């Protein structure tokens, strides 16, 4: 079962995301446009393209269409990978092109093929770093361990490997 903490961590891993809390609802925005929210009744609301809404509804029978191009469903009806996928789709649908393009490109990044990032960190960490605009070891040095760990897909092992590689 997916938790609100995972929704928060995933949403905040995307560039220029802000978190707002109003009347028990926690909303995540990019450039002032809401892309995800968690209502007090533990329903996740995702703002996506109509085709993504249709795909979400086909994959998750409890998903319901909502006004203003979106869908909602209980957070507990999504596993972690599904939540990450749909939050990414929602962010991409609402983010300006200058932000969305590098994140979309990062979705196909392969470990060992982005800048001088080591292959050993794995593809999920490579995609997360690339999506944040990090393509070199020198750029990772500008981020704290906590900031790197906040990127969805970057775990303690990847941070350790990055730090070790940067010292060589």
């Amino acid at each position: 079962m997916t938790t609100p903490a995972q929704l928060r961590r995933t949403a905040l891993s995307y560039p220029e995301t802000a978190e707002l809390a109003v009347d028990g609802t926690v909303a995540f925005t990019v450039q002032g446009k809401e892309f995800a929210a968690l209502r007090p009744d533990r329903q996740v609301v995702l703002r996506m393209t109509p085709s993504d809404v249709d795909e979400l509804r086909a994959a998750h029978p409890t998903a319901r269409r909502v006004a203003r191009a979106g869908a909602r469903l209980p957070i507990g009806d999504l596993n972690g990978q599904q939540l990450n996928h749909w939050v990414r789709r929602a962010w991409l649908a609402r983010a300006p092109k200058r932000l969305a393009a590098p994140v979309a490109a990062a979705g196909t990044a392969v470990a060992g093929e982005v800048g001088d990032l080591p292959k050993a960190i794995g593809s999920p960490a490579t995609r997360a770093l690339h999506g944040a605009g990090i393509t070199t070891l020198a750029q990772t040095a500008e981020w704290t361990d906590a900031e790197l760990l906040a990127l969805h897909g970057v775990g303690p092992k990847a941070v350790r490997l990055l730090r070790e590689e940067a010292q060589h």
Side-chain angles (χ1 to χ4, degrees), residues 46 48 50-65 71-74 77-79 81-83 85-86 89:
L46 299 165
M48 300 183 289
S51 61
D52 281 346
V53 170
D54 291 343
E55 188 179 333
L56 173 68
R57 292 183 65 221
H60 302 283
T62 58
R64 300 289 176 253
R65 189 176 303 279
R72 69 173 167 79
L73 71 161
D77 289 358
L78 294 168
N79 67 34
Q81 283 185 322
Q82 293 165 336
L83 177 77
H85 171 77
W86 293 116
R89 299 299 308 157

Side-chain angles (χ1 to χ4, degrees), residues 6-157:
Q6 183 171 0
L7 172 62
R8 181 176 191 273
R9 185 172 52 251
T10 300
L12 292 175
S13 73
Y14 292 102
E16 298 189 30
T17 294
E19 179 179 6
L20 309 164
V22 178
D23 297 329
T25 295
V26 178
F28 300 95
T29 64
V30 57
Q31 296 272 304
K33 293 181 178 179
E34 180 183 302
F35 66 92
L38 182 63
R39 299 180 349 182
D41 62 0
R42 297 182 58 87
Q43 294 273 320
V44 176
V45 178
L46 299 165
R47 305 289 177 193
M48 300 183 289
T49 65
S51 61
D52 281 346
V53 170
D54 291 343
E55 188 179 333
L56 173 68
R57 292 183 65 221
H60 302 283
T62 58
R64 300 289 176 253
R65 189 176 303 279
V66 297
R68 297 187 345 249
R72 69 173 167 79
L73 71 161
I75 191 169
D77 289 358
L78 294 168
N79 67 34
Q81 283 185 322
Q82 293 165 336
L83 177 77
N84 296 341
H85 171 77
W86 293 116
V87 169
R88 180 177 187 275
R89 299 299 308 157
W91 186 88
L92 286 169
R94 304 292 283 176
K97 288 181 180 161
R98 71 173 176 78
L99 293 176
V103 171
T108 59
V110 177
E113 296 181 10
V114 174
D116 65 351
L117 298 177
K119 184 176 184 173
I121 65 171
S123 290
T126 300
R127 286 190 294 271
L129 292 168
H130 189 264
I134 300 170
T135 59
T136 67
L137 285 170
Q139 289 171 312
T140 66
E142 298 169 10
W143 290 55
T144 67
D145 288 2
E147 289 170 328
L148 291 172
L149 289 167
L151 297 173
H152 182 74
V154 178
K157 179 181 176 184

